[in-house]
Each structure stands twice: as C-alpha cells, then as structure tokens.
Amino acid sequence: MTAEPDLDLGVLLAAACERIVREILGAAAAAGYPHLTPSQSLAVLFIGDGLDTVTQLAERLGMTTQAISKICATLAVEGLLERQPNEVDARSRRLALTPSGAKAVERMREAGAAAERSWIDLVGAETLAVVKHALAAFAFAPRTGSASPVRIRFS
C-alpha cells in the first residue's frame, strides 16, 4: 500500500515550486549554463522581463542591493549581462542581457513552458487555469497584518 501524498497546501506549493525550479535549472545547465544558481537565474529572467537596475532587482527578489550587485557582477563576468551607463541617473548603471544572457532566458522560458505542459497533461488545461487564477489571487492579495517580511529565496 502506498502512502497518500502530503496534502498540506504549503508543502504542495513548495514541492511544485521546487520541481519547476529544478526543471528550469536543469534545462539551463543542458544549454551550457550549469553554473547558474537559482538567484542568478531569477535575476537573468527578470532582466529579460525589463527590470534594468540593481534596485529594481533587489526589490523584486527581496534581497539587498549589495547581494544583487554581487550577483550581477558574477553574471557580467560570465558574459550574461552588461552594465551600461544610465542616462537618467549617473550614480547607477542599466543592466542589459548579452546575446548569451538572452539565450539563457530563452532556454529557461522553454523549460518553464514544458513544465506547464506536463502539468496540463496531468490535470488538464482547465484545471491548471483555475489553479493559476487561484494562486494569482492569493499571491497578489494585500498582506495580512500578521505576515512575516521573510521571503523565500532559491539559493
């Protein structure tokens, strides 16, 4: 007799998130980016989505600007992003993906889409659409007064 899986919502969400992150990082590794950490991968994805300053990335990832600066320095050394002058604020630099960084984003997006197709194969497109809407409603609802400021990081 097999044990019934844990149906605790928090545990299920964490397990689903971890599976998707592992699949995305696995695809990135297979495409020639085995060195990317989860935090670096998220930074590259968000830069690909248009965030272009260390401050924006720090706010989105819930990390310090110092930590993001370090991540960006590593990504620049690895040839995934460039720091360009900021014509609006000379104190900061704009972040832009290199062609290699854009390729990494493309591979990670493809892996995310493949993970979503796998989920559809398991539960159907209609059910996944309901799950996605429910998750978005909860994720973007106003925080309660008792919520901790701690954020999950995949590093």
Side-chain angles (χ1 to χ4, degrees):
M1 181 168 153
T2 60
E4 186 170 320
D6 188 345
L7 296 180
D8 177 82
L9 181 61
V11 171
L12 290 171
L13 288 172
C17 188
E18 182 178 5
R19 178 176 175 178
I20 289 171
V21 168
R22 286 178 182 265
E23 291 187 18
I24 290 170
L25 290 176
Y33 307 98
H35 56 282
L36 286 177
T37 67
S39 293
Q40 291 170 340
S41 298
L42 286 171
V44 169
L45 286 169
F46 291 143
I47 294 166
D49 284 345
L51 298 183
D52 66 353
T53 67
V54 167
T55 301
Q56 290 173 338
L57 285 173
E59 289 173 3
R60 180 66 176 94
L61 290 168
M63 298 173 75
T64 65
T65 54
Q66 293 83 0
I68 294 297
S69 290
K70 185 175 178 182
I71 287 170
C72 289
T74 300
L75 293 171
V77 167
E78 293 170 353
L80 297 176
L81 73 83
E82 299 173 327
R83 295 175 186 221
Q84 303 169 342
N86 185 339
E87 50 290 332
V88 176
D89 183 357
R91 297 170 297 168
S92 71
R93 311 282 279 164
R94 294 266 183 220
L95 305 172
L97 294 177
T98 63
S100 182
K103 179 183 168 196
V105 168
E106 184 179 333
R107 296 299 174 266
M108 288 187 279
R109 296 260 183 247
E110 288 169 357
E116 190 167 321
R117 285 190 302 276
S118 294
W119 204 340
I120 288 170
D121 291 344
L122 289 169
V123 301
E126 201 170 295
T127 298
L128 183 56
V130 170
V131 169
K132 286 172 73 173
H133 287 293
L135 290 172
F138 185 75
F140 301 113
R143 287 188 187 162
T144 63
S146 62
S148 168
V150 173
R151 295 187 64 170
I152 294 174
R153 285 189 221 133
F154 298 98
S155 55

mmCIF file of all heavy atoms in Angstrom, residues 9 13 119 128-141:
data_model
loop_
_atom_site.group_PDB
_atom_site.id
_atom_site.type_symbol
_atom_site.label_atom_id
_atom_site.label_comp_id
_atom_site.label_asym_id
_atom_site.label_seq_id
_atom_site.Cartn_x
_atom_site.Cartn_y
_atom_site.Cartn_z
ATOM 1 N N LEU A 9 -1.286 22.396 1.907
ATOM 2 C CA LEU A 9 -1.138 23.351 0.809
ATOM 3 C C LEU A 9 0.261 23.942 0.734
ATOM 4 O O LEU A 9 0.858 24.020 -0.344
ATOM 5 C CB LEU A 9 -2.181 24.471 0.930
ATOM 6 C CG LEU A 9 -2.156 25.526 -0.181
ATOM 7 C CD1 LEU A 9 -2.424 24.896 -1.541
ATOM 8 C CD2 LEU A 9 -3.170 26.611 0.116
ATOM 9 N N LEU A 13 2.714 23.476 -2.453
ATOM 10 C CA LEU A 13 3.196 24.624 -3.227
ATOM 11 C C LEU A 13 4.721 24.641 -3.265
ATOM 12 O O LEU A 13 5.322 24.894 -4.311
ATOM 13 C CB LEU A 13 2.657 25.926 -2.639
ATOM 14 C CG LEU A 13 1.175 26.184 -2.851
ATOM 15 C CD1 LEU A 13 0.735 27.397 -2.047
ATOM 16 C CD2 LEU A 13 0.861 26.372 -4.321
ATOM 17 N N TRP A 119 2.217 19.684 -16.540
ATOM 18 C CA TRP A 119 1.146 19.870 -15.563
ATOM 19 C C TRP A 119 -0.216 19.736 -16.246
ATOM 20 O O TRP A 119 -1.136 19.107 -15.715
ATOM 21 C CB TRP A 119 1.309 21.243 -14.913
ATOM 22 C CG TRP A 119 0.678 21.376 -13.553
ATOM 23 C CD1 TRP A 119 -0.295 20.596 -13.007
ATOM 24 C CD2 TRP A 119 0.973 22.374 -12.580
ATOM 25 N NE1 TRP A 119 -0.629 21.051 -11.757
ATOM 26 C CE2 TRP A 119 0.141 22.142 -11.477
ATOM 27 C CE3 TRP A 119 1.849 23.441 -12.551
ATOM 28 C CZ2 TRP A 119 0.155 22.950 -10.345
ATOM 29 C CZ3 TRP A 119 1.868 24.234 -11.420
ATOM 30 C CH2 TRP A 119 1.032 23.987 -10.331
ATOM 31 N N LEU A 128 -5.676 23.513 -14.631
ATOM 32 C CA LEU A 128 -4.485 24.335 -14.411
ATOM 33 C C LEU A 128 -4.831 25.819 -14.482
ATOM 34 O O LEU A 128 -4.313 26.613 -13.695
ATOM 35 C CB LEU A 128 -3.377 23.998 -15.410
ATOM 36 C CG LEU A 128 -2.081 24.769 -15.192
ATOM 37 C CD1 LEU A 128 -1.542 24.575 -13.774
ATOM 38 C CD2 LEU A 128 -1.041 24.382 -16.230
ATOM 39 N N ALA A 129 -5.726 26.207 -15.372
ATOM 40 C CA ALA A 129 -6.135 27.608 -15.452
ATOM 41 C C ALA A 129 -6.773 28.051 -14.138
ATOM 42 O O ALA A 129 -6.495 29.146 -13.636
ATOM 43 C CB ALA A 129 -7.094 27.831 -16.620
ATOM 44 N N VAL A 130 -7.605 27.206 -13.547
ATOM 45 C CA VAL A 130 -8.232 27.523 -12.263
ATOM 46 C C VAL A 130 -7.163 27.648 -11.180
ATOM 47 O O VAL A 130 -7.183 28.584 -10.369
ATOM 48 C CB VAL A 130 -9.295 26.457 -11.884
ATOM 49 C CG1 VAL A 130 -9.770 26.641 -10.451
ATOM 50 C CG2 VAL A 130 -10.466 26.499 -12.850
ATOM 51 N N VAL A 131 -6.212 26.720 -11.165
ATOM 52 C CA VAL A 131 -5.133 26.763 -10.176
ATOM 53 C C VAL A 131 -4.329 28.047 -10.324
ATOM 54 O O VAL A 131 -4.035 28.731 -9.342
ATOM 55 C CB VAL A 131 -4.224 25.513 -10.301
ATOM 56 C CG1 VAL A 131 -2.951 25.665 -9.480
ATOM 57 C CG2 VAL A 131 -4.982 24.259 -9.892
ATOM 58 N N LYS A 132 -3.984 28.400 -11.553
ATOM 59 C CA LYS A 132 -3.190 29.613 -11.787
ATOM 60 C C LYS A 132 -3.943 30.861 -11.324
ATOM 61 O O LYS A 132 -3.359 31.748 -10.698
ATOM 62 C CB LYS A 132 -2.812 29.732 -13.266
ATOM 63 C CG LYS A 132 -1.733 28.744 -13.673
ATOM 64 C CD LYS A 132 -1.487 28.717 -15.160
ATOM 65 C CE LYS A 132 -0.754 29.935 -15.626
ATOM 66 N NZ LYS A 132 -0.362 29.829 -17.059
ATOM 67 N N HIS A 133 -5.219 30.936 -11.616
ATOM 68 C CA HIS A 133 -6.012 32.100 -11.177
ATOM 69 C C HIS A 133 -6.109 32.146 -9.655
ATOM 70 O O HIS A 133 -6.012 33.223 -9.048
ATOM 71 C CB HIS A 133 -7.404 32.085 -11.815
ATOM 72 C CG HIS A 133 -7.390 32.422 -13.262
ATOM 73 N ND1 HIS A 133 -7.063 33.672 -13.750
ATOM 74 C CD2 HIS A 133 -7.647 31.662 -14.352
ATOM 75 C CE1 HIS A 133 -7.121 33.675 -15.069
ATOM 76 N NE2 HIS A 133 -7.473 32.464 -15.462
ATOM 77 N N ALA A 134 -6.291 30.993 -9.032
ATOM 78 C CA ALA A 134 -6.367 30.955 -7.568
ATOM 79 C C ALA A 134 -5.037 31.365 -6.947
ATOM 80 O O ALA A 134 -5.004 32.140 -5.983
ATOM 81 C CB ALA A 134 -6.775 29.556 -7.101
ATOM 82 N N LEU A 135 -3.936 30.874 -7.495
ATOM 83 C CA LEU A 135 -2.621 31.242 -6.976
ATOM 84 C C LEU A 135 -2.362 32.738 -7.148
ATOM 85 O O LEU A 135 -1.837 33.393 -6.245
ATOM 86 C CB LEU A 135 -1.526 30.435 -7.671
ATOM 87 C CG LEU A 135 -1.474 28.947 -7.333
ATOM 88 C CD1 LEU A 135 -0.472 28.235 -8.228
ATOM 89 C CD2 LEU A 135 -1.150 28.726 -5.872
ATOM 90 N N ALA A 136 -2.711 33.281 -8.305
ATOM 91 C CA ALA A 136 -2.505 34.718 -8.547
ATOM 92 C C ALA A 136 -3.342 35.548 -7.584
ATOM 93 O O ALA A 136 -2.857 36.542 -7.030
ATOM 94 C CB ALA A 136 -2.844 35.062 -9.992
ATOM 95 N N ALA A 137 -4.584 35.142 -7.347
ATOM 96 C CA ALA A 137 -5.456 35.890 -6.438
ATOM 97 C C ALA A 137 -4.849 35.929 -5.039
ATOM 98 O O ALA A 137 -4.823 36.978 -4.384
ATOM 99 C CB ALA A 137 -6.848 35.254 -6.401
ATOM 100 N N PHE A 138 -4.346 34.798 -4.596
ATOM 101 C CA PHE A 138 -3.764 34.742 -3.256
ATOM 102 C C PHE A 138 -2.420 35.467 -3.203
ATOM 103 O O PHE A 138 -2.145 36.235 -2.281
ATOM 104 C CB PHE A 138 -3.602 33.292 -2.799
ATOM 105 C CG PHE A 138 -3.117 33.163 -1.391
ATOM 106 C CD1 PHE A 138 -3.967 33.409 -0.325
ATOM 107 C CD2 PHE A 138 -1.805 32.829 -1.112
ATOM 108 C CE1 PHE A 138 -3.528 33.308 0.987
ATOM 109 C CE2 PHE A 138 -1.344 32.729 0.186
ATOM 110 C CZ PHE A 138 -2.213 32.970 1.237
ATOM 111 N N ALA A 139 -1.562 35.220 -4.192
ATOM 112 C CA ALA A 139 -0.214 35.789 -4.192
ATOM 113 C C ALA A 139 -0.225 37.311 -4.228
ATOM 114 O O ALA A 139 0.633 37.952 -3.624
ATOM 115 C CB ALA A 139 0.585 35.236 -5.371
ATOM 116 N N PHE A 140 -1.197 37.895 -4.922
ATOM 117 C CA PHE A 140 -1.196 39.340 -5.108
ATOM 118 C C PHE A 140 -2.245 40.070 -4.279
ATOM 119 O O PHE A 140 -2.442 41.265 -4.436
ATOM 120 C CB PHE A 140 -1.322 39.670 -6.599
ATOM 121 C CG PHE A 140 -0.200 39.069 -7.393
ATOM 122 C CD1 PHE A 140 -0.435 38.066 -8.313
ATOM 123 C CD2 PHE A 140 1.113 39.474 -7.189
ATOM 124 C CE1 PHE A 140 0.608 37.502 -9.039
ATOM 125 C CE2 PHE A 140 2.164 38.915 -7.904
ATOM 126 C CZ PHE A 140 1.905 37.924 -8.832
ATOM 127 N N ALA A 141 -2.897 39.343 -3.372
ATOM 128 C CA ALA A 141 -3.846 39.979 -2.451
ATOM 129 C C ALA A 141 -3.056 40.782 -1.417
ATOM 130 O O ALA A 141 -1.892 40.480 -1.150
ATOM 131 C CB ALA A 141 -4.686 38.907 -1.754
#
